[in-house]
Each structure stands twice: as C-alpha cells, then as structure tokens.
Amino acid sequence: MKPGNLLVVVLAGATVALAEPSAEGPMWDLGDPHLNTVPRAAEEAARIATVTALATDFDAPQRFEDKPGGAATVRAMTNADAFSQPSGNISFEDQLDFRVGNGLFRKLWVSSPSSTLASDGLGPLYNARSCQRCHIKDGRGHPPETADDNAISMFLRVSIPGPVDASEAAIKDYIATLPEPTYGTQLQDFAVQGHAAEYRLDITYEEEVVVLADGTEVALRHPTYAAADLGYGPLHPDAMLSPRVAPQMIGLGLLEAIPAADILARADPDDLNGDGISGRPNVVWSVEHDRPMLGRFGLKAGSPTVMEQSAAAFAGDIGISSPLFPAGAGECTATQSRCRDAIHGDKDARGTEIDAEGMDLVTFYSRNLAVPARRGAGDPEVLRGKQVFYATGCVACHRPSFVTHRLVDQPAQSFQLIWPYTDMLLHDMGAGLADNRPEGRANGQEWRTPPLWGIGLTKQVSGHTYFLHDGRARSLLEALLWHGGEAQAQRDTVVGMATADREALIAFLESL
C-alpha cells in the first residue's frame, strides 16, 4: 500500500459518527486564506471526526499512530539529523527545492558592504547570523549553560502597553502593545563592527524542591531575567520582557494545513463543558494577507503562517529585510539613528536582502521538515503510559490527532492524518510560567499548547533536555511539574502518581 493511500483506507472503513460537542468556541469567521483548499463534504467530515476521536482502547496502538506526520512521516534516524529530513512524500523535484531552502536556512549572512552581494545585509543588530544558529539541527534552542556561554538560541522579546489601532480593533479582546521606544520588539545581543549590541542576557536561578508522593525529590529552577549592559540607554519604565528559546521546526507545514475551523471547534473560552480547560484561539493581524487570521506559530501563537513567521524571524533575529518586512535596518528603531543610517544590503538586484524567491524556498524548507516515526508505539510500557496520559486529562490540551485540508498545490500536506498532540489554542498556565507580556489576544499567563511530536528525540538532536518556553525545565518530569493554571489538576495528579505510572507516562512521552 502506498503511504498516500493510508488515510483514504482508514476513512473508507470508518464508522460514521458525529464529532465531540464543539459549539462552545467563539464564532470566528477566519477561514484559511493562506491555503488553496478543496471543501469537505459533510460525510467526509463525519468520517474524519471518527478517525480523530480520542482512544478508548489502550491494549494496542491506534491504526497509523506510528506515522505522526501521515504519509509525510520519515524513518526515525538515530543521529542528530533526525529533524532535518524532507517530507517522506515529496517528489524528487521538490527535494531539490528543499535542499536549496536548507542552504538559505543555514546561510551565514555578512555585514554590508560586501563583495558577496547575495549574502550581505546582516544586522546591524542581530541575535544570530543564520536561522540554523538558533534552530540548531532544526531542533530546540537552549538557555546559556554557564555565565560564559552566549544566548545564541534565546532572546528577550520586549514591548510596552499601547493603544489599539484600526486593524487590531477588528479583533475581539486584542491586547494592544507597542515596540519599546528604543529597543523595538526584541533585544539583539550582537552587532556588526562599529555598532553596539543592545544588551547581554543575564539569568539567575533559585531552586525549589518538589517532593513527589513516592518520596522522589525534583528540583525546579525559578529563573529571573535581566537585560544587562544596555547599549542604548535604559528601557522604558513600562517595558515588558519575555524570554524565548527557539522551538523545534518539524511538522510546521502540517500544522499550517489543519483547518482553522477544526482548531476553533475545540475552543471553550468560558469552560462551558466544566472540565477546567478554557482553550482560546489567538487571532492576529496578518501582514501577509492583510486581514485577521488564526495565530498558529510562535510560543503564544502570534504568527498565522510559516511564511510570515519566517520573514519576521529574518527581520528580528538576523536583521535581514524581505518583501513582507522590507526595512533594511531590521529591528533598528528611530532612536538608533546610526543603525538606521548604516549601509544595508537592500536596493540591489534582490530588492530586499532576501528576495521573494528566497523566502519561498526557506518557507518550503520549513514546511517540509518531516516528523520522524514513533518509536515503540506498541511497547506495553508505552501503551500503559498512553493510558495514564489520557486518564490524567492531558489530552484536553494536547489533542492527539487532526486531519489536514485537501490542498490543491501542497500534496505533501494534503489530507493527512497527523498526531501532533496539540490543540493549537492558548491556555492559562498559571503564575509560575507567566511572562506577564501579552501578544495578540494572549495575556501574560497564556501560552499555545506546544506540539509534542518528536519530543523524545530532543536529547539526540539538540544534545540537551531543556523544555518549556525558556528552557527552565531540565527534563520532561520538570516540565510536567511546572504546569499550573488550567493544568494545575493534571500537575497535582503527577505529583501523587505511583512510581510505575509516572515512569510509564514519561516512557509514552519519550516515544512521541
């Protein structure tokens, strides 16, 4: 059987059943303007609802559960390249585009003026010289390991409260912010020659010991962040800082292809079903499509598409202009006049420092970083852990599966049964994880549910096991114990678990 036929076979044999109640979410008319879709018939939608229903039998894996990316899934490699493979279902010709996009993703940009006109335009202020320098091996970044280590894959976002503008006013409950007047929307800790870096990231930790029911002691690190050695004067007194570690890159095109309506159907902002979980969509203004759209990407779902997220990262992280964000000075503000007046790499044959063709290739690469196959999905310990995951209520946010849109022009992402373990919604994670900085509709305690696929390969790919938005958790168990807010009950259940159940839960997570 060809991999592309897997879902068709599943749906053809499925018993028709209605989806779980889903009328509780907000009635947003957002659509999917970034996708060229084929509408679903009612009968097909009913079959999909059956296929993606929550498991009730834990004696064996669900059908095709070992292929989390559908037909785009690839064999799980045993080295650090496990997150760097192209979708398993793209053509030979598309693999060439993937490789060229990979080259641009890895490219080291240089400052202007330079004889290498295709690669100049770095900064003048930046966090890294390439995308790959933050998304190391397409995996997770990490906080500085020691006082002497740099923060190459971590930075601080910054903003101040601001009035709602005309476009934002169209989005209900939008929390307006403005760039910090001197430093913009994120702090850059590197600068090209002749310019001062904006800051140095300073992190201190205090440890709290949590004692589990079986007597196991787990130390949690409480971080404090400071913007030290500010290069352009003090921050605004109302400045809000948010630490961010670069997330892993796999499966982005599949997440982008989930119907917005399916994500919105899971929203329950007023907890009408009484389960204590109040998922909300982030709705943001799209620069690319000039309209409100569902936020999907970023730690608070602040970006609607892979293209827009990539272009924003080029501008903010590397100081590279693109057709969506054409400022040659990148994140430099009006206050940073020397940075604005410097020589930049735009206005040559490319137009912007990376042109539309380059952005298309980087976007194609980012969309097609494949999800590795599950390991040990049928192992009895993993199946027991899956049952614990369900019984604990983790699936209320970490929704196991979706079916992507049928797409006219993206065959690799079209009509795939995928297992990302996320609902793509915002959840209040409590004061312990709060950054107290809003983004779109997300308040200072809300974060998007992160996808869990590939999480068990973090050590293999990235060389560490740092998790959460700022890498404070040094293990999956620590990450679980940081859950609060809507997930407080689940966290408390983990604390009280029998040792065997907790170990099985971790085994399940490591199999994803």
Side-chain angles (χ1 to χ4, degrees), residues 11 14-19 40-53:
L11 294 180
T15 301
V16 176
L18 295 176
R40 285 180 180 171
E43 181 181 357
E44 182 173 80
R47 294 200 303 271
I48 288 171
T50 299
V51 169
T52 57

Side-chain angles (χ1 to χ4, degrees), residues 428-451:
D428 184 336
M429 295 302 294
L433 287 178
D435 66 347
N436 299 309
R437 177 185 176 273
E439 184 174 342
R441 299 179 73 237
N443 66 37
Q445 293 193 176
E446 289 179 313
W447 301 94
R448 184 201 65 163
T449 306

